[in-house]
């Protein structure tokens, strides 16, 4: 046997859907012969699937609830369509390349998300995006799925070096909302596949498309997985607007699977601490701790038979929540069965005694809320102690209105770094959203509309404060800065140039100011740039080529591509994460690369020797990769295959799976 070719395209979304359906309903699948390959493949028998669904299926009902727009079908197809593009490493733009686990990727985010699927599917804990708000001026990405090819060609002058079309989506466009929906839909579909089962996506959005993004997310994530629609004060004041001055935007929040998501908790602010946690314990095990007194009596609760009883106060008197019938003589704990309009305590008698024994009850002079055994206003009130330390550990439930971190703060934050850029999100807002989610310490945070990379800044800032090891992936189209902008005057021709410099300066500043400087704080990032395939397209039949072109069949790697280009392209194709550490070793004058101590071992040099093969096997690799041109003849390829199989004690099936060529 000889090693097979490595599949170089991204995930096929249709195949993913088939695999998911097969897990649920394998009986609706059958086999047919593929006309192109001659091999058998699985296909869906719709008749059987319909039988499984019974009456719960619909095709062309006259009336049914649905959200649609011109171009939706093509947008859905585009989400499933694989890409043959790749990501090229840009070491010279990176910081701490060898050690960092953070990624910054330049390129159209739809293509990039597809490329990340094999390596990061189900591994991203949180996604935050701040997409274009579609105001009539905002940048819109290159895909316009509803137009014909002829119409598409009309825009062919507005392309970048990769062939991506980009233009403004003005409000004079008759397909103003449809274009925006078609741009967002496939990106959200692919992004969902990257989320972990307990993952959450946060989407900042303005009023213009809030209803459409909610409908899209209800369809893609499921309406039952909608966590909230949060209002956010983006600015205060202002005199613009005919009826209202726009001061509010929204954050739409969805879970991959809401049943797997632990409730959000926020930090208790200093303002709340100063206002509510005003008491300090004077004795016992919690002496010196702050607490908040909270009344044991609550009139808003329904009267409960076991939660209305007398409590003895420090002066020997007895108190009880107010009610109609009161006996003249009682003792501590005497039960009074309430009428429907009688008050009661929040806790049962047993719970009260337990909390009192633990020092969680306090008595204070009364304001007349409670009554004594004679039905008169009591001299005491009874409070439970809500300990600040306990609340800080568990956090507080956030409200769905965010009033901090107005947008204008971001201009100051960037100005302090010497970066000229407007309209970024404040660091505090993104930091707050990340901190809401529990168990993110070692998680991956993704932002695929990353702009100036506020999200990367916020991740580093939060890590510096709590010792976390969160990693980020930033994706941004190389949009040019306006010619007359301060950014262009300062030498920043594109948004990624601004973002990369911001991360560099922010990381340096955070390290200088961080109280955790003795710990390892990752402020580096690996830069990648979206590019066409590393390989020349060979579409003609061999007889159509002249003699000078026949070497394309032996070596179809583009002349400007390096070993690192090939290595990272293979990592994407094989599902190996781009942030993993790597080493290189020279044997017999040829370079051997090892990713994450053997996750992938590769050699792309010509004339592979026996020493090279043995050195690769010594690393106990999980995967082995060569260039096809490493071997002068097929018999050399077969010999290497058999040698590795023997040295690594792999079965034939394991060797076929783990040894590949490109």
């Amino acid at each position: 046997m000889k090693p097979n070719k490595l599949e170089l395209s991204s995930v096929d979304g249709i195949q993913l859907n088939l695999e998911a359906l097969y897990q649920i309903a394998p009986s609706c699948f059958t086999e047919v012969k593929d006309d192109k390959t001659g091999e058998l493949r699985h296909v869906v028998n719709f008749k059987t699937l319909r039988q499984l669904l019974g009456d719960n299926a619909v095709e062309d009902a006259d009336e049914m609830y649905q959200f649609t727009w011109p171009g939706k079908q093509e947008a859905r197809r585009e989400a499933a369509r694989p890409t043959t593009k790749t990501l090229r490493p840009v070491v010279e733009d990176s910081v701490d390349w060898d050690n960092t686990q953070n990624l910054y990727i330049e390129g159209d985010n739809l293509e990039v998300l597809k490329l990340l699927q094999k390596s990061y599917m189900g591994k991203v804990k949180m996604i935050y995006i701040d997409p274009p708000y579609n105001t009539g001026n905002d940048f819109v990405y290159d895909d316009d799925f509803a137009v014909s090819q002829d119409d598409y060609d009309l825009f062919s002058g507005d392309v970048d070096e990769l062939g991506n079309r980009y233009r403004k989506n003005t409000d004079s466009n008759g397909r103003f909302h449809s274009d925006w929906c078609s741009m967002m839909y496939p990106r959200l579909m692919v992004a969902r596949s990257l989320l972990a089962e307990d993952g959450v996506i946060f989407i900042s959005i303005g009023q213009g498309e809030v209803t459409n993004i909610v409908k899209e997310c209800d369809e893609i994530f499921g309406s039952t997985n909608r966590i909230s629609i949060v209002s956010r004060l983006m600015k205060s004041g202002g005199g613009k607007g005919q009826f209202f001055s726009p001061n509010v935007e929204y954050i739409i929040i969805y879970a991959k699977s809401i049943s797997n998501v632990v409730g959000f908790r926020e930090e208790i602010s200093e303002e709340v601490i100063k206002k509510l946690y005003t008491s300090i314990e004077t004795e016992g095990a919690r002496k010196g701790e702050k607490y908040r007194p909270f009344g044991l009596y609550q009139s808003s609760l329904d009267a409960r038979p076991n939660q209305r009883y007398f409590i003895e106060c420090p002066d020997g008197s007895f108190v009880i929540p107010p009610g109609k019938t009161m006996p003249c003589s009682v003792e501590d704990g005497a039960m009074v069965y309430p009428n429907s309009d009688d008050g009661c305590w929040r806790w049962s008698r047993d719970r009260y005694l337990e909390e009192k024994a633990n020092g969680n009850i306090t008595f204070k002079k009364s304001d007349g809320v409670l009554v004594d055994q004679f039905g008169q206003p009591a001299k005491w009130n009874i409070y439970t102690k809500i300990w600040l330390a306990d609340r800080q550990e568990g956090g507080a439930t956030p409200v769905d209105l965010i009033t901090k971190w107005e947008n204008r703060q971001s201009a100051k934050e960037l100005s302090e770094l010497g970066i000229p850029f407007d309209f970024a999100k404040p660091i505090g807002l993104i930091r707050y959203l990340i901190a809401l989610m529990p168990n993110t310490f070692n998680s991956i945070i993704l932002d695929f509309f990353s702009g100036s990379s506020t999200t990367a800044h916020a991740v580093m800032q939060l890590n510096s404060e709590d010792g976390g090891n969160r990693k980020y992936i930033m994706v941004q189209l190389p949009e040019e800065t306006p010619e007359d902008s301060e950014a262009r005057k300062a030498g920043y021709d594109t948004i990624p140039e601004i973002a990369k410099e911001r991360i560099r300066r922010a990381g340096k500043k955070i390290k200088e100011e961080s109280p955790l400087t003795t710990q390892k704080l990752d402020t580096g990032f690996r830069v990648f740039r979206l590019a066409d395939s590393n390989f020349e397209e060979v579409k003609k039949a061999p007889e159509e080529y002249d003699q000078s072109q026949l070497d394309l069949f032996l070596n179809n790697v583009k002349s400007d591509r390096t070993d690192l280009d090939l290595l990272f392209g293979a990592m994407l194709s094989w599902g190996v994460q781009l942030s993993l550490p790597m080493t290189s070793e020279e044997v017999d004058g040829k370079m051997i690369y090892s990713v994450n101590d053997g996750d992938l071992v590769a050699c792309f040099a010509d004339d592979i020797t026996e020493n090279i093969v043995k050195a690769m096997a010594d690393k106990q690799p999980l995967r082995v990769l060569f260039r096809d041109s490493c071997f002068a003849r097929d018999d050399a390829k077969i010999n290497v295959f058999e040698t590795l199989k023997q040295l690594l004690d792999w079965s034939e099936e394991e060797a076929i799976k783990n040894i590949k060529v490109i």
Side-chain angles (χ1 to χ4, degrees):
M1 289 292 294
K2 62 182 180 180
N4 292 328
K5 294 273 189 178
L6 180 65
E7 176 58 55
L8 296 174
S9 65
S10 68
V11 167
D12 186 331
I14 294 175
Q15 190 60 38
L16 282 180
N17 294 334
L18 287 172
E19 290 172 2
L21 181 59
Y22 186 80
Q23 296 300 316
I24 302 170
S27 61
C28 71
F29 281 76
T30 186
E31 291 181 342
V32 298
K33 187 175 182 180
D34 192 305
D35 293 336
K36 294 181 180 179
T37 65
E39 298 179 355
L40 293 177
R41 62 187 179 95
H42 280 102
V43 295
V44 177
N45 185 323
F46 269 102
K47 183 177 180 180
T48 304
L49 180 59
R50 253 195 177 283
Q51 291 170 348
L52 292 177
L53 296 175
D55 296 331
N56 299 305
V58 63
E59 289 184 9
D60 298 313
D62 293 335
E63 293 184 356
M64 60 180 176
Y65 179 79
Q66 58 181 322
F67 174 54
T68 190
W69 65 89
K72 181 178 181 179
Q73 297 300 325
E74 180 58 26
R76 186 181 284 136
R77 284 190 286 268
E78 178 58 33
R81 192 173 290 134
T83 180
T84 58
K85 292 187 178 180
T86 189
L87 297 179
R88 298 185 67 184
V90 188
V91 180
E92 62 273 17
D93 282 8
S94 306
V95 174
D96 196 18
W97 173 275
D98 290 333
N99 301 305
T100 185
Q101 297 183 66
N102 300 315
L103 305 179
Y104 186 91
I105 305 173
E106 300 178 32
D108 181 277
N109 53 15
L110 180 56
E111 301 284 350
V112 172
L113 290 173
K114 290 179 180 181
L115 288 170
L116 294 178
Q117 275 185 299
K118 287 182 179 178
S119 300
Y120 293 92
M121 187 175 295
K123 293 181 173 65
V124 175
K125 183 65 174 283
M126 173 183 168
I127 297 174
Y128 171 80
I129 56 172
D130 182 18
Y133 279 16
N134 208 21
T135 62
N137 299 307
D138 285 317
F139 181 83
V140 170
Y141 281 58
D142 66 316
D143 27 84
D144 188 351
F145 300 131
V147 299
S148 67
Q149 186 61 46
D150 290 340
D151 290 335
Y152 186 95
D153 291 341
L154 291 176
F155 300 101
S156 60
D158 298 327
V159 297
D160 62 16
E161 69 279 7
L162 297 178
N164 295 321
R165 176 172 56 82
Y166 51 94
R167 60 187 176 85
K168 303 287 184 179
N169 184 32
T170 63
D171 50 15
S172 61
N173 175 17
R175 295 175 11 82
F176 181 63
H177 293 291
S178 295
D179 283 352
W180 191 89
C181 288
S182 289
M183 183 272 291
M184 289 299 299
Y185 194 83
R187 289 165 172 81
L188 291 173
M189 286 192 71
V190 181
R192 182 186 179 277
S193 72
L194 300 180
L195 276 179
E197 288 304 307
D198 61 346
V200 175
I201 183 170
F202 297 79
I203 306 172
S204 285
I205 199 69
Q207 291 187 21
E209 299 292 350
V210 64
T211 54
N212 286 333
I213 196 69
V214 168
K215 289 176 182 177
E216 283 197 348
C217 288
D218 277 352
E219 184 171 311
I220 293 168
F221 295 91
S223 58
T224 57
N225 289 316
R226 187 198 303 170
I227 291 177
S228 188
I229 302 175
V230 173
S231 300
R232 173 187 170 249
L233 183 67
M234 61 178 177
K235 67 175 183 177
S236 55
K240 295 182 179 179
Q242 182 178 359
F243 300 104
F244 292 96
S245 176
N247 279 226
V248 174
E249 66 178 8
Y250 305 93
I251 300 177
I252 315 301
I253 309 170
Y254 282 79
K256 174 78 169 286
S257 176
I258 201 166
S259 60
N260 294 322
V261 178
V262 180
F264 292 171
R265 293 293 181 268
E266 68 175 359
E267 300 165 339
I268 300 177
S269 67
E270 287 299 321
E271 293 86 349
V272 170
I273 293 173
K274 290 178 181 178
K275 181 178 179 180
L276 299 179
Y277 292 88
T278 55
S279 299
I280 299 177
E281 184 60 53
T282 58
E283 58 185 7
R286 305 194 75 156
K287 183 177 179 180
E289 288 193 35
K290 290 184 178 181
Y291 68 88
R292 171 190 175 190
F294 193 74
L296 186 61
Y297 160 60
Q298 286 194 351
S299 60
S300 60
L301 293 180
D302 294 333
R304 304 175 189 180
N306 66 339
Q307 290 183 215
R308 180 172 168 79
Y309 48 86
F310 280 97
I311 293 177
E312 185 175 4
C313 299
D315 65 355
S317 63
F318 299 94
V319 295
I320 198 170
K324 290 184 177 180
T325 305
M326 308 299 298
C328 291
S329 60
V330 297
E331 60 184 21
D332 185 48
M335 191 73 66
V336 176
Y337 290 94
N339 294 311
S340 60
D341 56 351
D342 286 336
C344 62
W345 305 114
R346 288 189 295 113
W347 292 340
S348 67
R349 170 70 174 173
D350 290 342
R351 170 77 183 278
Y352 164 76
L353 291 175
E354 179 184 350
E355 298 290 348
K356 184 180 180 183
N358 290 332
N360 295 330
I361 296 292
T362 185
F363 294 83
K364 293 191 176 184
K365 291 296 183 179
S366 172
D367 54 7
V369 173
L370 303 178
V371 296
D372 61 17
Q373 64 267 42
F374 304 105
Q376 300 301 311
K379 299 177 182 179
W380 297 91
N381 206 343
I382 305 172
Y383 297 88
T384 64
K385 298 176 182 178
I386 300 176
W387 300 96
L388 175 59
D390 294 346
R391 282 302 175 95
Q392 285 177 321
E393 181 179 352
T397 302
V399 298
D400 57 4
L401 173 64
I402 301 175
T403 58
K404 294 182 178 180
W405 311 296
E406 294 184 22
N407 282 354
R408 57 188 171 191
Q409 290 179 237
S410 63
K412 180 183 177 184
E413 292 167 350
L414 285 164
S415 177
E416 290 175 349
L417 295 173
I419 303 289
F421 188 76
D422 295 325
F423 311 116
K425 284 292 185 287
I427 301 165
L429 173 66
I430 312 303
R431 181 203 171 283
Y432 170 76
L433 296 178
I434 298 171
L436 284 180
M437 296 185 61
N439 306 320
T440 65
F441 267 43
N442 296 292
S443 300
I444 297 173
I445 313 295
L446 168 66
D447 184 344
F448 55 89
F449 286 96
S450 62
S452 68
S453 286
T454 301
T455 302
H457 195 158
V459 168
M460 293 188 296
Q461 184 66 49
L462 185 56
N463 282 344
S464 74
E465 294 169 7
D466 65 11
N469 186 34
R470 302 169 188 85
K471 283 79 67 177
Y472 63 74
I473 302 175
M474 300 292 104
V475 184
Q476 176 60 40
L477 191 79
E479 179 186 358
E480 292 186 354
T481 55
E483 289 188 8
D484 59 347
S485 65
E486 292 301 315
R488 180 66 69 91
K489 294 174 185 176
Y492 300 106
D493 293 335
T494 66
I495 301 300
E497 288 178 15
I498 292 174
K500 288 180 289 187
E501 186 59 25
R502 176 190 186 166
I503 301 173
R504 294 184 192 107
R505 296 185 186 186
K508 184 173 182 291
K509 186 172 184 285
I510 289 170
K511 273 200 167 180
E512 290 171 351
E513 299 175 352
S514 172
L516 300 173
T517 50
T518 56
Q519 301 183 28
K520 183 170 178 57
L521 179 62
D522 186 358
T523 57
F525 56 99
R526 286 181 176 176
V527 178
F528 294 86
R529 190 169 290 139
L530 183 69
D532 288 328
S533 171
N534 290 321
F535 305 91
E536 301 284 1
E537 292 188 21
V538 183
K539 293 183 177 179
K540 299 179 183 179
E543 60 270 16
E544 297 180 78
Y545 286 84
D546 60 37
Q547 190 65 36
S548 64
Q549 295 173 308
L550 288 178
D551 65 340
L552 282 176
F553 293 97
L554 298 175
N555 181 16
N556 64 338
V557 176
K558 291 178 179 176
S559 59
D560 64 337
R561 303 305 160 99
T562 67
D563 281 2
L564 280 185
D565 289 328
L566 299 179
L567 181 62
F568 280 101
M571 289 167 66
L572 286 170
S573 298
W574 221 329
V576 179
Q577 293 190 11
L578 301 179
S579 58
L580 293 176
M582 59 185 59
T583 58
S584 59
E585 174 189 2
E586 189 172 316
V587 176
D588 287 351
K590 316 291 185 181
M591 199 63 70
I592 298 173
Y593 301 92
S594 177
V595 178
N596 201 34
D597 198 23
D599 277 10
L600 170 62
V601 174
C603 183
F604 304 115
D606 295 337
D607 301 322
I608 297 296
T609 66
E610 185 177 344
N611 286 337
I612 292 173
V613 175
K614 288 181 178 179
M616 295 174 77
D618 287 342
K619 299 181 185 299
Q620 292 297 303
L622 300 179
R623 307 169 184 85
V624 179
L625 182 68
F626 300 100
R627 274 178 72 169
D628 213 8
S629 60
C630 291
F631 311 99
R633 302 183 310 275
D634 271 356
D635 59 345
K637 192 184 300 183
I638 294 170
N639 288 338
V640 168
F641 180 89
E642 294 297 333
T643 301
L644 282 171
K645 186 175 73 169
Q646 182 178 1
L647 291 174
L648 294 169
D649 195 25
W650 281 345
S651 66
E652 187 84 9
E653 183 180 353
E654 288 173 325
I656 292 173
K657 177 183 176 183
N658 299 333
I659 305 173
K660 301 288 185 182
V661 297
I662 56 174

